[in-house]
Amino acid sequence: MSEIVIKTDKLTKRFGDFIAANEITFKVNKGEIFGFLGANGAGKTTAMRMLCGLSIPSSGQATIAGFDVYKQTEQIKKNIGYMSQKFSLYEDLTVLENINFFGGIYGLTDKELKTKSAQLIDQLGLQLQAKKLVASLPLGWKQKLSFSVAVLHEPKIVFLDEPTGGVDPVTRRQFWDLIYDAADRGVTIFVTTHYMDEAEYCNRISIMVDGVIKALDTPRNLKDTFHANNMDEVFYELARSAKRSE
Amino acid sequence: MEAVNVKNLVKIYGKDKTAVDDISFSVNQGEIFGLIGPDGAGKTSIFRVLTTLLLPDGGSATVDGFDVVKDYKQIRSRVGYMPGKFSLYQDLSVEENLNFFATIFNTTIAENYHLIKDIYVQLEPFKNRRAGQLSGGMKQKLALCCALIHKPVVLFLDEPTTGVDPVSRKEFWEILQQLKEQNITIVVSTPYMDEANRCDRIAMIQSGQLLSVDTPANIIKSYPEQLYAIKANNMHALLKILHEYNQVKSSYAFGEFAHISFKEPKFNPDQAVTYLETKGLQDIELIKTEVTIEDCFIKLL
């Protein structure tokens, strides 16, 4: 039995009368690539914020890396990494400064930072760009760097919110190579995406519709269940019945 | 006459940041023309030059026969523009925004209502809501209505579907198809390769340069090799092994499968299966597959 790193039980968030996330229950294993899909407004961001310790649930239970989402939000934040398309790096700091800044925030010592930043720059082939402003990097490079920074402190789980939006098809695939490598090292990946081919790269996926998890399984099983040829068709089948949008 | 004509267009920011590098293409009247490329390709700069919001640094362009530099006033009254970023007035209501745009173009909502009717009926229940309070999908629809209310000759849509889920994206493309039938020329950009098939013709752009302009069908037809789809019990291992396999010309993940092509046109793919089995992979499935626009784009990069 593999270790469970995310566990939720009827996790719910209400905003007034509006139930953004409605009794969502699921488990994610260590080292798993878990795709968290849903239409705009289905409640993905709300759910993700609760899992990251940024928003206190209205009811239900959840533990992240063994820590409780009500009482241990600070421990959760230390044990996870996070990146999104919207928030990633500081544009007016250099590559090296960004690595040091985020590494420092995540609690790495100066000594660790020195070796880790050198390793990272080497691994990404950014030797020539290390002292350049992040603003001067192409988007794809920023996203790869941003991911690497989010896992620099070797978190148990990394949350990725549409990490590949707008990225070219080659860089998108290089990005997924980084995800696979991290998963091989035992980092659990929790990722949202609007690219249905990327859903196929996940070990398991959940599809949220109007605040509820409508389906959760491996891509293979979901396609069988819905008699679909690809994930696009599965998604369409489930999400077209959605009543609310954002 | 062509609806849009772009000739050797150049746009440089600062000293040496070339956003648009000698790009030429033309758009026929009544066509849906797609600018396909990732973020930073130069799509927005092209839109801004064509809508007269930015002066080119080289080359020329016309819209509906008017020059983007000399005749900017004529162009502004003839085009509709929906920028990538939501830019309506957040604290005006849905109806006020629409009224505002109709008024500055010297028209009324009633005059061109037929153009927006199908979209606007979905917004009507919220017509008194402030635009800032709308959902993402609704904002997008309102922005489209505002870009259409003066009955433009050419409609410019900059990444209208970015960050939008697959279901809403399909709906949006159906709306564009209806507008095309009303004889509005549409120039639309998108980072989603699968949307290219919805366009009559596309221009594929990367780093300010034009990779190819043609119909999606012709671009696909010009793909030089037989493409295969392959899968096995472990995708990550499969990709690594294919990457090092000397018979393989290109290989990359493509949803459930990896797409591969071989160096030798006469190569027997059964050999590849045998090879992969010796490397410890199981449940290998290798089939001929059809080329998609995304394959063509990857090939051109």
Side-chain angles (χ1 to χ4, degrees):
Chain A
M1 183 75 197
S2 55
E3 189 188 333
I4 290 162
V5 290
I6 300 177
K7 185 169 186 245
T8 77
D9 185 21
K10 296 189 176 174
L11 195 65
T12 299
K13 182 76 185 186
R14 288 191 195 85
F15 297 103
D17 295 338
F18 182 73
I19 308 176
N22 194 355
E23 301 200 342
I24 58 175
T25 302
F26 64 94
K27 290 172 188 161
V28 181
N29 300 316
K30 183 173 191 285
E32 188 170 26
I33 303 176
F34 190 85
F36 196 60
L37 311 186
N40 297 115
K44 297 191 302 286
T45 303
T46 302
M48 209 154 171
R49 286 178 59 81
M50 288 192 282
L51 300 180
C52 292
L54 298 169
S55 167
I56 298 295
S58 306
S59 62
Q61 302 300 324
T63 54
I64 310 303
F67 298 107
D68 182 79
V69 290
Y70 291 92
K71 297 185 203 115
Q72 297 173 298
T73 53
E74 287 314 304
Q75 284 98 319
I76 289 176
K77 288 173 201 165
K78 284 201 182 86
N79 282 281
I80 62 169
Y82 175 83
M83 81 160 275
S84 78
Q85 195 194 354
K86 282 163 203 137
F87 175 77
S88 47
L89 302 164
Y90 287 98
E91 297 262 311
D92 42 11
L93 294 183
T94 67
V95 169
L96 206 53
E97 284 168 342
N98 265 291
I99 297 172
N100 285 330
F101 177 77
F102 283 101
I105 282 196
Y106 280 125
L108 295 183
T109 62
D110 285 353
K111 204 177 150 196
E112 285 171 323
L113 270 178
K114 214 174 165 186
T115 36
K116 289 225 165 200
S117 58
Q119 257 175 20
L120 178 56
I121 283 170
D122 228 31
Q123 191 194 338
L124 292 175
L126 283 172
Q127 291 90 342
L128 294 174
Q129 283 83 19
K131 290 190 174 148
K132 288 198 176 148
L133 295 186
V134 160
S136 70
L137 295 182
L139 176 80
W141 282 106
K142 280 183 205 164
Q143 297 305 82
K144 283 192 272 184
L145 177 61
S146 176
F147 175 79
S148 305
V149 166
V151 294
L152 196 63
H153 60 298
E154 281 161 26
K156 295 213 169 67
I157 309 156
V158 61
F159 289 88
L160 309 172
D161 195 359
E162 285 182 42
T164 55
V167 175
D168 75 68
V170 173
T171 312
R172 215 150 63 74
R173 285 167 172 83
Q174 292 167 348
F175 192 91
W176 273 88
D177 286 338
L178 292 178
I179 292 182
Y180 276 129
D181 287 340
D184 282 352
R185 294 198 305 271
V187 179
T188 304
I189 313 285
F190 189 92
V191 59
T192 72
T193 179
H194 284 317
Y195 291 100
M196 288 303 122
D197 60 329
E198 294 186 347
E200 300 273 6
Y201 308 153
C202 301
N203 299 118
R204 285 190 306 147
I205 47 185
S206 69
I207 298 180
M208 236 177 136
V209 179
D210 291 348
V212 178
I213 291 186
K214 278 271 182 179
L216 195 169
D217 214 326
T218 62
R220 179 73 266 156
N221 289 345
L222 284 174
K223 282 182 282 185
D224 288 348
T225 309
F226 290 92
H227 307 291
N229 293 313
N230 51 48
M231 283 310 301
D232 210 27
E233 289 175 21
V234 174
F235 188 89
Y236 197 73
E237 190 60 35
L238 283 166
R240 69 174 179 184
S241 60
K243 298 280 181 292
R244 67 191 204 207
S245 66
E246 247 168 89
Chain B
M1 186 184 54
E2 286 146 345
V4 175
N5 196 315
V6 176
K7 219 171 175 182
N8 304 112
L9 190 70
V10 175
K11 182 68 207 172
I12 301 165
Y13 297 108
K15 268 192 215 121
D16 55 358
K17 204 162 184 302
T18 307
V20 181
D21 191 0
D22 196 17
I23 279 184
S24 304
F25 64 87
S26 60
V27 180
N28 300 322
Q29 260 169 21
E31 185 170 54
I32 299 184
F33 188 88
L35 294 179
I36 317 287
D39 282 11
K43 305 188 298 289
T44 300
S45 295
I46 295 171
F47 274 116
R48 301 199 134 240
V49 169
L50 294 177
T51 50
T52 76
L53 300 171
L54 209 56
L55 289 170
D57 294 307
S60 60
T62 62
V63 176
D64 198 28
F66 294 97
D67 183 87
V68 290
V69 180
K70 278 201 326 261
D71 310 320
Y72 68 93
K73 281 188 180 162
Q74 285 91 328
I75 290 181
R76 285 180 190 180
S77 64
R78 280 172 172 78
V79 301
Y81 175 42
M82 184 173 155
K85 222 180 209 161
F86 183 70
S87 35
L88 301 181
Y89 293 94
Q90 309 257 7
D91 41 12
L92 292 186
S93 71
V94 167
E95 201 175 22
E96 285 166 342
N97 263 297
L98 194 56
N99 229 327
F100 175 79
F101 281 91
T103 309
I104 55 170
F105 284 107
N106 286 318
T107 182
T108 59
I109 296 179
E111 199 171 329
N112 293 316
Y113 188 70
H114 64 281
L115 271 179
I116 61 162
K117 186 172 165 256
D118 291 341
I119 319 162
Y120 195 67
V121 285
Q122 299 172 48
L123 287 167
E124 212 140 32
F126 314 101
K127 67 179 183 190
N128 295 318
R129 195 182 283 186
R130 289 184 185 193
Q133 306 296 315
L134 292 175
S135 72
M138 289 292 176
K139 276 182 182 162
Q140 180 205 40
K141 284 177 182 143
L142 177 60
L144 184 60
C145 286
C146 290
L148 276 170
I149 196 62
H150 60 296
K151 198 172 190 225
V153 182
V154 186
L155 184 60
F156 291 97
L157 307 171
D158 193 3
E159 297 208 10
T161 56
T162 292
V164 175
D165 68 71
V167 175
S168 311
R169 276 166 52 196
K170 270 192 187 120
E171 284 175 8
F172 195 81
W173 279 95
E174 279 154 22
I175 293 172
L176 296 191
Q177 199 57 44
Q178 288 162 14
L179 291 173
K180 177 194 150 98
E181 280 155 24
Q182 311 220 32
N183 210 25
I184 293 176
T185 305
I186 300 169
V187 183
V188 54
S189 68
T190 177
Y192 296 104
M193 303 288 148
D194 57 338
E195 294 184 345
N197 294 317
R198 302 283 201 136
C199 303
D200 296 313
R201 286 191 309 136
I202 56 170
M204 293 201 264
I205 307 175
Q206 167 89 344
S207 309
Q209 288 174 339
L210 203 60
L211 303 175
S212 176
V213 188
D214 211 328
T215 63
N218 281 343
I219 286 176
I220 285 168
K221 230 192 303 177
S222 65
Y223 195 86
E225 288 121 24
Q226 175 60 51
L227 199 63
Y228 293 88
I230 184 166
K231 67 175 176 180
N233 58 333
N234 182 337
M235 178 60 116
H236 192 204
L238 173 67
L239 286 171
K240 278 186 174 166
I241 295 166
L242 286 174
H243 207 68
E244 284 157 13
Y245 185 24
N246 61 11
Q247 298 291 343
V248 169
K249 183 163 187 186
S250 71
S251 62
Y252 46 86
F254 207 94
E256 185 185 0
F257 292 87
H259 279 186
I260 55 171
S261 62
F262 296 104
K263 285 177 186 159
E264 287 298 322
K266 286 178 188 153
F267 183 73
N268 178 0
D270 292 341
Q271 269 185 10
V273 176
T274 317
Y275 173 81
L276 293 169
E277 277 165 352
T278 64
K279 291 283 172 182
L281 289 171
Q282 291 161 7
D283 310 325
I284 300 164
E285 204 183 308
L286 179 81
I287 46 169
K288 280 187 180 174
T289 191
E290 278 169 26
V291 174
T292 68
I293 290 291
E294 186 150 349
D295 294 300
C296 299
F297 202 96
I298 290 171
K299 179 96 190 161
L300 291 167
L301 286 185

